């Protein structure tokens, strides 16, 4: 009886261990590598490095001229001991990546501003290396307190054309999102120089 129970537990442990080894490999495709908050010109800026690759289905759709929308979200909270953390920043920014078959040129940008790029990888590099994203004014942050933040990037399927939204619901190839990456920082008052 004990031998059967021991062998069952050993088999269960081996199955669990091998399942744990497989999951990180599959989930390591999209991730936020680094987030660096810094202060300049009385504003809080975020720099981030993100790793992701498009699936073959997404790449084919983009090469046929379907615009892809990527949204980066950042949240910053101040911990409170007596209640829930206070959210002080909740911002998002959306980039549009589109290929123009007539000019054979990729365009990437936010809002009405878009920049030309020669290849899809060059266009996606703007999303892989976010630089100088102003998310808050320093006047809105308390000095010498530690803030905790998190950031992620996702393919925003809600902005796609309706037929592609249906494809996005039915196909895992249209889902691209990084897990949240946490970071912390504090705003300190610089001592006046004599």
């Amino acid at each position: 009886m004990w031998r059967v129970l021991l062998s069952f537990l050993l088999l269960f442990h081996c199955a669990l261990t091998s399942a744990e080894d497989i999951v990180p490999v599959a989930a390591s495709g999209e991730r936020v590598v680094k987030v660096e908050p810094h202060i300049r010109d009385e504003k809080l800026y975020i720099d981030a490095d993100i790793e992701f690759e498009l699936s073959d289905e997404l790449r084919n759709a983009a090469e046929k001229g379907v615009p892809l929308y990527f949204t980066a979200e950042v949240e910053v909270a101040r911990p409170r001991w007596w209640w829930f953390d206070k959210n002080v920043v909740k911002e998002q920014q959306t980039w549009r990546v589109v290929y123009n078959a007539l000019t054979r040129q990729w365009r990437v940008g936010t809002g009405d501003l878009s920049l030309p790029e020669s290849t899809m990888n060059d266009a996606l590099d703007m999303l892989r290396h976010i630089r100088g994203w102003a998310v808050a004014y320093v006047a809105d942050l308390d000095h010498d307190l530690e803030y905790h933040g998190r950031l992620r990037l996702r393919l925003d399927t809600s902005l796609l054309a309706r037929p592609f939204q249906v494809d996005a619901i039915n196909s895992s190839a249209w889902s691209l999102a990084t897990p949240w990456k946490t970071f912390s920082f504090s705003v300190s008052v610089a001592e006046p120089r004599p």
Side-chain angles (χ1 to χ4, degrees):
M1 171 79 177
W2 287 104
R3 288 182 184 171
V4 173
L5 183 61
L6 186 60
S7 62
F8 177 73
L9 287 175
L10 184 61
L11 182 63
F12 181 71
H13 175 67
C14 290
L16 246 172
T17 306
S18 64
E20 289 174 357
D21 292 339
I22 293 171
V23 171
V25 173
S28 66
E30 298 90 21
R31 68 187 182 112
V32 179
V33 178
K34 178 175 62 170
V35 179
E36 292 181 357
H38 56 89
I39 295 173
R40 187 178 68 239
D41 303 329
E42 298 298 319
K43 290 183 183 176
L44 172 66
Y45 290 92
I46 299 290
D47 291 346
D49 291 329
I50 302 168
E51 288 181 357
F52 69 92
E53 291 297 327
L54 297 182
S55 66
D56 291 336
E57 193 172 327
L58 273 176
R59 187 174 289 276
N60 288 338
E63 288 171 349
K64 291 178 182 172
V66 176
L68 300 179
Y69 298 90
F70 296 89
T71 299
E73 299 170 298
V74 65
E75 297 176 357
V76 176
R78 185 183 75 198
R80 294 189 285 198
W81 64 271
W82 54 275
W83 196 247
F84 297 110
D85 295 346
K86 179 182 179 184
N87 288 330
V88 292
V89 175
K90 191 170 187 176
E91 291 290 325
Q92 67 180 21
Q93 186 167 353
T94 301
W95 289 269
R96 179 177 181 245
V97 177
V98 66
Y99 179 67
N100 188 333
L102 293 175
T103 61
R104 296 184 184 201
Q105 195 173 56
W106 290 89
R107 297 197 70 83
V108 61
T110 61
D112 293 333
L113 176 67
S114 65
L115 301 172
E117 296 291 346
S118 57
T119 66
M120 179 188 291
N121 283 333
D122 291 343
L124 294 176
D125 273 347
M126 185 177 284
L127 307 171
R128 290 183 178 125
H129 306 288
I130 299 172
R131 296 292 180 259
W133 180 18
V135 295
Y137 289 98
V138 176
D140 297 336
L141 303 174
D142 294 327
H143 299 288
D144 298 323
L145 291 177
E146 186 172 11
Y147 288 93
H148 300 289
R150 60 187 196 155
L151 183 136
R152 75 172 178 171
L153 179 77
R154 63 184 172 84
L155 176 69
D156 198 344
T157 56
S158 67
L159 298 174
L160 295 171
R162 292 277 185 215
F164 295 107
Q165 287 182 11
V166 173
D167 284 346
I169 291 171
N170 295 328
S171 173
S172 63
W174 284 80
S175 64
L176 186 147
T178 65
W180 288 98
K181 171 78 170 177
T182 59
F183 61 95
S184 60
F185 68 96
S186 64
V187 178
S188 59
V189 180
E191 294 182 13
R193 296 182 182 170

